[in-house]
Amino acid sequence: MDQTAGVCHFKKVGIGEKKIWVEEVMELDARLWDPPQGEGDYNTLASYAQGGYILYAAFYRLLLIPVNPFWIQLPYIIIVSFLGYLALKVSMPKGGPFRPKSFDLFFMSASASTLSSMSTIEMEVFSNAQLIIFTLLMFLCGEVFVSMLGLQLMKFKFTKEENSQSRVHSASNSTYSLPEVLELGSVTHQHFNIQRPKSSKDSEDLKYKSIKALGYMVLSYLLVVHILGSSLVALCIHFVNSSKQVLKKKGLSLVTFSIFTTVSTFSNSGFVPTNENMAIFKKNTALLLILIPQVLLGNTLYPPCLRVFIGFLGRFTKREECNYILKNWRDLGYDYFFSRLRCWFLGGTVLGFILVMFVGFCAMEWNSKVMEGLSNYEKVVGTFFVVVNARHAGESIFDFSIVSPALLVLLVFMM
């Protein structure tokens, strides 16, 4: 291959591009990077079957190099944390003499971005604008959202890999499709079309469409859970006067609280806009029951629920991508999509751990000071809420400083 600098088809060769000579074409319908303009079809390699110069975007080969997702996610989290810190620094907290220090703001931003929910400042200090910033940080750095970004990168790499492999091939990999019988006078050219098997091409196209569809399905899953969850939380607080008065007394917006709590619960961050966490809502059993499934939908039960969600979409939309995803999930490389059997095992394990913790908590603390003032029904719902959160988000309605040491050991072991 001849590699030169300068001009190719009246266009200056740019940075990251190479001017190369096509020696042999394997796939005539392979599209070109930045094809020459003018009369005729120069968009595919069919125009270069006899040879010719083309521009090759060498930069895109960097995207084909395998990279550990850690080295992509680490700078992403750092950048989002820093931007969150700047946004918190610019926005003003609630009126009062207290002004958070810069280091504390950066710590809170990093805590929200890493979903650790560690705090050096009381949450009620922050204004409505700052709570919205925290909500964005938790949403953008949530595990499900980050995995969706990975799918978009995977789709982009898949496209470039296909184009890179189909532009220029060596003769050693060529397969010629020749007719078994040639009649006299039927051959008018000295070369034959060399094409990739149609079935293989169709399979790759379907794989690309499935990766693209999976990205949209994960986004739909995110939006459905957050919109439905926020709406239910808002309705629950609106119709429960005691909870409504709590927000009014603390100066919290109902909409902001609903969205903040839903995003935090789904991402398993554990932040709540109140200083008491969820303890102040321990008698609002409806609110606790709404938040419990959100904890699981964004964590350990995400793979089984995603599989059910895609199966539901496939049944009603009849799209072949859904069927391909369910049957060829290994080929897609999405780590959060499991086989049906593994989903059953995962669901059974999660429910088993919750049951063990629930029984242990009730046996040790049913009549203790921890549950003082609660009815039997409120004790059951409160305990269920706590044991689900103990392995995930960390939201709580009980004071763990007075919980028995034996129960703390059980909770630590289950976590």
Side-chain angles (χ1 to χ4, degrees), residues 36-250:
Q37 305 298 317
E39 297 181 359
D41 183 14
Y42 300 102
N43 295 319
T44 64
L45 286 177
S47 302
Y48 301 89
Q50 302 291 338
Y53 283 107
I54 64 171
L55 279 178
Y56 177 66
F59 167 76
Y60 289 126
R61 294 188 63 86
L62 297 176
L63 297 176
L64 306 180
I65 301 176
V67 179
N68 192 311
F70 172 80
W71 299 111
I72 299 178
Q73 296 177 10
L74 178 61
Y76 174 78
I77 297 296
I78 293 176
I79 293 174
V80 172
S81 299
F82 183 72
L83 293 177
Y85 158 72
L86 293 179
L88 291 173
K89 185 69 175 178
V90 172
S91 56
M92 296 297 295
K94 288 182 179 178
F98 178 74
R99 289 293 183 270
K101 298 179 180 179
S102 297
F103 183 80
D104 290 329
L105 290 177
F106 183 77
F107 181 88
M108 293 293 293
S109 177
S111 181
S113 301
T114 56
L115 311 178
S116 60
S117 71
M118 293 186 292
S119 177
T120 59
I121 306 174
E122 291 184 340
M123 292 301 297
E124 293 179 18
V125 171
F126 297 107
S127 63
N128 187 71
Q130 290 176 319
L131 292 179
I132 294 175
I133 295 172
F134 278 117
T135 304
L136 289 175
L137 291 176
M138 292 184 292
F139 182 81
L140 294 176
C141 295
E143 195 169 4
V144 177
F145 183 83
V146 173
S147 72
M148 186 193 69
L149 295 181
L151 278 174
Q152 301 304 316
L153 181 60
M154 187 188 309
K155 180 185 69 175
F156 187 70
K157 292 175 64 176
F158 181 84
T159 305
K160 297 307 175 186
E161 184 177 9
E162 286 299 303
N163 290 339
S164 175
Q165 291 177 354
S166 63
R167 280 179 182 145
V168 181
H169 297 265
S170 63
S172 59
N173 294 327
S174 301
T175 55
Y176 295 85
S177 177
L178 301 177
E180 295 181 359
V181 179
L182 295 177
E183 296 181 1
L184 185 62
S186 63
V187 180
T188 60
H189 297 280
Q190 295 180 356
H191 66 278
F192 298 90
N193 289 345
I194 306 166
Q195 297 182 349
R196 189 178 178 182
K198 185 176 180 180
S199 59
S200 176
K201 181 184 176 182
D202 292 342
S203 177
E204 293 300 324
D205 289 342
L206 182 57
K207 181 179 178 180
Y208 170 75
K209 292 179 181 178
S210 299
I211 294 175
K212 184 178 180 180
L214 182 58
Y216 288 125
M217 291 175 188
V218 174
L219 177 60
S220 301
Y221 179 91
L222 268 171
L223 295 178
V224 168
V225 174
H226 282 86
I227 294 175
L228 182 61
S230 300
S231 302
L232 291 176
V233 170
L235 287 174
C236 180
I237 295 180
H238 178 75
F239 289 107
V240 178
N241 189 58
S242 59
S243 299
K244 189 177 181 179
Q245 291 301 318
V246 168
L247 297 188
K248 185 176 181 181
K249 181 179 179 181
K250 293 180 177 293

Side-chain angles (χ1 to χ4, degrees), residues 276 279 282 361 365 368-371 386 396-404 407-408:
E276 303 88 353
K282 63 181 179 180
F361 201 107
E365 302 294 338
S368 68
K369 189 178 179 180
V370 176
M371 298 190 182
V386 169
S396 177
I397 62 172
F398 297 139
D399 183 4
F400 278 90
S401 64
I402 58 177
V403 171
S404 62
L407 180 60
L408 292 178

